[in-house]
Structures are given as structure tokens and as C-alpha cells.
Amino acid sequence: MSELKVPFHKAAITDAEKKAVLDVLDSGWLTTGKYALEFEKKFTQAVSKGDEKRNLPDKRPVISLCVNSNTSGMILAMEACGVKEGTAVITTPYTFVSTAACARHLNADVYFADVEKDSYSIDPDKIEEILLRDQKNGNKVRAIVPVHIAGNVCNMKRILELAKKYSTKDHKIRVIEDAAHSFPSPTELGYAGTIGDAGVFSFYVTKTITTAEGGMVCTRDPELAKRMTVMRLHGMDRTTWDRYTSPRASWEYDIVAPGYKFNLPDVLAAIGCCQVERSELFYEQRKAVVEKYNQAFKDLDFIELPPDGDGNAWHLYLMRIVPEKLKITREEFAKKMQKSGLGISVHFIPIFHFTYWKKLYPDFNAQNYPNAERQYSRTISIPLFPDMTEEQVELVIETVKKIGKENHA
């Protein structure tokens, strides 16, 4: 591979983040404390902006809980919603594997619904097919987990309707949004990640904002928030910050459940406080790059533009090649881009390609999920980040055009 000329992603870090981290180090309190609380407050404000003008399915205020990863947050949300052994969740095979793995950590089964034909979003019709079968087989489904791939929001209105339709008095089906890619994503129903019963964000280094590692769980349900707060830190009935800052002795606490160790330390939360303040600027910068890509690619017959919709955060630019117009495969196209010095990736390898999942569910294969397989075989994620220079954008565009022209069918 040649020298990297354009990275796939570069986090937008400034002196503000550096100062914030040093302030935490100087404070003497490095773990979860006042910066984590401030980050939760700022994030809640960000995902509640304009809610008074929206048609919210649930009008209660958002509660945000920071965690050390999206994966941790997803486990907390699933556990609080009753996902456990003998139950199941519905999600998409077109996602990073952790979405489904979280259910397995709780000893639950996973039912997969294919994506829509022309998008990367889970297909509500396929969800309903699974729910109909589940009714006949004992009502195992406890949660539907839509994934807002690349920041493009799923059909939440229909998904919420399905959850309500197939719930009963004694069997409530929850909706847990995997919003790892979706901040900020304002829609008519509220910000993605605040529309269902719970939503989980990621602040991994490549995401729309970063804390290096970290995540956030949002809910409007105080009971879910209470359970997740307790389970986030060992099942303890007091937070670490309270134990060491209140007059009550730090060792006076109770363990009320077998919880986890999923808290976000202040060193990372301080970065998040800075990043969330610039999240809309980051969005505008990404959108400007997207517009240049779309303008450059719209008339190329070997490229399909990414799907776009209400609230799209544009976390990723999923460039789709048209194999019929090329003499090379997606894999070959991607490798030529790499050899040209571009940092690229593929989002995502559908879960049915992985050994563990093929062994677990014998019928889980590409043939039964044709839309997911089709998207995978055509998609290349190209560089998209706030600080991209005009020269970097142009280099990506010219490289795509050059490879397409040289390998046109």
C-alpha cells in the first residue's frame, strides 16, 4: 500500500479538549465525577433542542447516562428492558457485530430482519413477519433494535407502531435504537436515540463526536434510567461521586443487583463536553464534503449515491459501485483506492458472514438476507470528517473517477 494521502477519519481535536483533559488531571479526580455529570447535561440539552415543536411519541424529558462504550450502553438498555435468557431481540444483520452480541451476552436469542431494498435500514415489513411468527412460538421478543446506519434514521414511526401492535398487557415489546452513528439527527419524532424506549450513542474515535472511547444511553422512562444507573456501576445504590463528596461515609452503600463496570471516567467526559458544543459545526463541515461528493458522483453511471433522509447525521459516506458498469469487483475497487493512498473501509460486513453466527444459526446466510448481501457487495466507505481540506476532497473525487474510467465495462 502506498503512503496514506487522505486518512479515513481524523478526530477534530483542538486546544479546548487538551485543556479540559489537563484540568481533570490537575483536579485529582480522574474517574466518573463532575465532568461526567456535565457531559450528560450538555448531551441532554443537545438531543432535546426543539422538542417543544416536535410530535414526540413520549413527551417526558430525556435522561442521559454516559458509559464507557456503545456496547456497554446497549447491554444496559437491553437488560433494563427485560432481555434475558429465554427471550429474543430483533435487529438487522447489516450492523457492527456488537449490536447483536449484546443480546447474546444476556443469553438471549437474536432474530434478524433484512434491510430495505434500496437502503441500509432495517425493513419494517420483515420485522412484522418475525413478530407474527413469534406470536405463534411463545412471544419471546422483548425488544426491536433498529440501527441508524451511517446516521440515516430508520422508519421509526412504523417500528414504534409495530412494537405497540404486538405488545400485550403482560408482554411489552420495547424499541432500543442503536444510534451509534446518529448524532445529531433531529427528526419529526425527536432526535434519533430519543424516540424509542432507549437509544445508545457511540463516541468511539471515528464517530461524529468522540471521547476516544465512550457512549451515552438516553431514555425518557425514569424507571429504565433508574435501573441502568444502578447496573452501570456494580449494582451499587450510590454513585462514586456521591460516595466521596457527600457527608455520608463512602463505605455506606448497598449492592442491590449484580451490576457491571460501565462508567465513563472524567478524563474522557471532559473531551465529550468540548465535542458536544461543536457537534453542529462538525455536522455542517461533514455536510459540505457530502455535497461535493454528491455533485461529483451524481452523473457517474458506475456510482450510486448514498441514501438520504430526515435527520441524516452523515456519519459515513457509503459510496455504492454499480458492478454491471465495471470490470472489477467492489473488493478490487477498494484495494485500488487504498493503493492510491486513500483511507477507506467497508460498513458493514453482514453478521451472517462470521463463523460464530453461522454456527449458532444454520439458516443465517446471504441467501436469506439478499438485500443486506447486495448492499455489502457494492459499498465502500470513503473519507468523511470535519477537517477535510479541499485538496483532500478533490483527491478522493479524482481517484474514484480515475479508477472507474480505467475499469469501466
Side-chain angles (χ1 to χ4, degrees):
M1 179 176 172
S2 63
E3 178 186 355
L4 190 63
K5 298 173 183 175
V6 184
F8 175 67
H9 182 84
K10 181 176 179 289
I13 300 298
T14 68
D15 288 343
E17 284 86 354
K18 296 173 186 177
K19 181 180 183 302
V21 170
L22 289 175
D23 286 346
V24 175
L25 296 177
D26 289 341
S27 75
W29 184 274
L30 308 188
T31 189
T32 307
K34 66 178 183 179
Y35 284 89
L37 292 172
E38 182 66 15
F39 185 30
E40 291 174 345
K41 178 182 176 181
K42 288 178 180 290
F43 196 81
T44 296
Q45 291 171 343
V47 294
S48 302
K49 187 177 178 180
D51 271 4
E52 67 278 0
K53 301 176 183 177
R54 295 192 172 93
N55 183 27
L56 304 177
D58 187 340
K59 299 187 184 302
R60 292 176 292 183
V62 173
I63 303 168
S64 300
L65 302 171
C66 56
V67 288
N68 58 11
S69 71
N70 171 277
T71 300
S72 298
M74 191 63 67
I75 292 173
L76 288 177
M78 287 185 182
E79 195 275 343
C81 288
V83 176
K84 58 185 178 181
E85 188 172 4
T87 70
V89 304
I90 299 173
T91 194
T92 167
Y94 206 99
T95 182
F96 186 59
V97 68
S98 64
T99 308
C102 291
R104 295 299 298 147
H105 287 310
L106 295 166
N107 296 313
D109 279 320
V110 186
Y111 300 153
F112 293 96
D114 203 359
V115 297
E116 297 169 326
K117 184 177 180 181
D118 297 319
S119 83
Y120 298 86
S121 297
I122 191 168
D123 187 340
D125 290 338
K126 297 298 181 181
I127 293 174
E128 185 158 29
E129 289 177 12
I130 294 171
L131 289 170
L132 283 167
R133 290 198 301 269
D134 189 56
Q135 272 190 334
K136 300 175 183 178
N137 296 324
N139 288 327
K140 289 179 63 177
V141 173
R142 289 295 182 274
I144 302 169
V145 187
V147 184
H148 306 311
I149 300 294
N152 208 17
V153 184
C154 298
N155 186 346
M156 290 302 297
K157 183 178 180 180
R158 177 85 191 284
I159 291 170
L160 291 175
E161 289 171 349
L162 289 172
K164 182 177 180 180
K165 178 180 178 180
Y166 289 92
S167 290
T168 66
K169 181 180 179 181
D170 301 320
H171 178 76
K172 186 172 183 178
I173 298 173
R174 301 280 197 165
V175 176
I176 303 170
E177 300 169 74
D178 187 335
H181 295 182
S182 290
F183 176 71
S185 291
T187 77
E188 179 189 353
L189 300 177
Y191 274 75
T194 72
I195 301 170
D197 293 281
V200 190
F201 298 84
S202 173
F203 307 133
Y204 181 65
V205 69
T206 61
K207 296 304 190 289
T208 59
I209 67 170
T210 186
T211 57
E213 295 278 1
M216 190 77 74
V217 188
C218 290
T219 183
R220 297 177 188 270
D221 186 329
E223 290 302 311
L224 290 182
K226 181 179 178 180
R227 176 67 178 181
M228 291 188 289
T229 299
V230 168
M231 295 300 287
R232 177 174 57 173
L233 192 64
H234 301 300
M236 197 176 295
D237 66 348
R238 294 177 67 192
T239 67
T240 304
W241 183 243
D242 174 71
R243 286 171 54 217
Y244 286 93
T245 58
S246 75
R248 185 181 167 195
S250 65
W251 60 89
E252 292 178 359
Y253 61 83
D254 191 15
I255 299 296
V256 297
Y260 307 99
K261 184 70 166 65
F262 288 164
N263 57 302
L264 185 73
D266 267 11
V267 174
L268 303 186
I271 300 173
C273 287
C274 299
Q275 291 268 302
V276 73
E277 291 177 352
R278 304 205 310 281
S279 59
E280 295 204 9
L281 170 63
F282 294 162
Y283 168 76
E284 293 299 332
Q285 291 173 316
R286 292 194 306 276
K287 190 68 164 60
V289 176
V290 167
E291 289 171 356
K292 291 177 182 177
Y293 282 160
N294 284 346
Q295 184 65 28
F297 298 154
K298 66 179 183 179
D299 295 324
L300 301 180
D301 65 356
F302 60 92
I303 295 291
E304 287 182 1
L305 300 185
D308 189 12
D310 185 27
N312 192 349
W314 285 110
H315 164 50
L316 299 171
Y317 191 93
L318 303 181
M319 185 185 77
R320 297 177 291 182
I321 66 166
V322 181
E324 297 80 11
K325 299 293 183 179
L326 294 166
K327 294 183 288 187
I328 57 175
T329 64
R330 185 282 311 279
E331 199 75 9
E332 292 168 322
F333 200 113
K335 288 180 178 179
K336 287 180 182 294
M337 293 184 74
Q338 285 183 314
K339 288 179 180 178
S340 298
L342 304 185
I344 54 93
S345 189
V346 172
H347 295 84
F348 286 102
I349 304 171
I351 297 175
F352 48 71
H353 281 283
F354 297 123
T355 299
Y356 168 81
W357 294 94
K358 288 191 287 188
K359 289 182 177 179
L360 184 65
Y361 302 123
D363 293 333
F364 189 34
N365 53 53
Q367 289 72 32
N368 289 328
Y369 300 87
N371 294 338
E373 180 64 14
R374 179 180 183 276
Q375 294 287 39
Y376 166 59
S377 68
R378 294 169 175 245
T379 298
I380 303 172
S381 299
I382 63 177
L384 175 60
F385 53 92
D387 292 337
M388 282 188 79
T389 65
E390 290 187 13
E391 291 76 16
Q392 288 175 323
V393 175
E394 284 304 313
L395 181 57
V396 173
I397 290 170
E398 291 308 313
T399 301
V400 169
K401 288 182 175 180
K402 182 174 184 289
I403 294 172
K405 182 179 179 180
E406 291 176 349
N407 298 277
H408 203 279

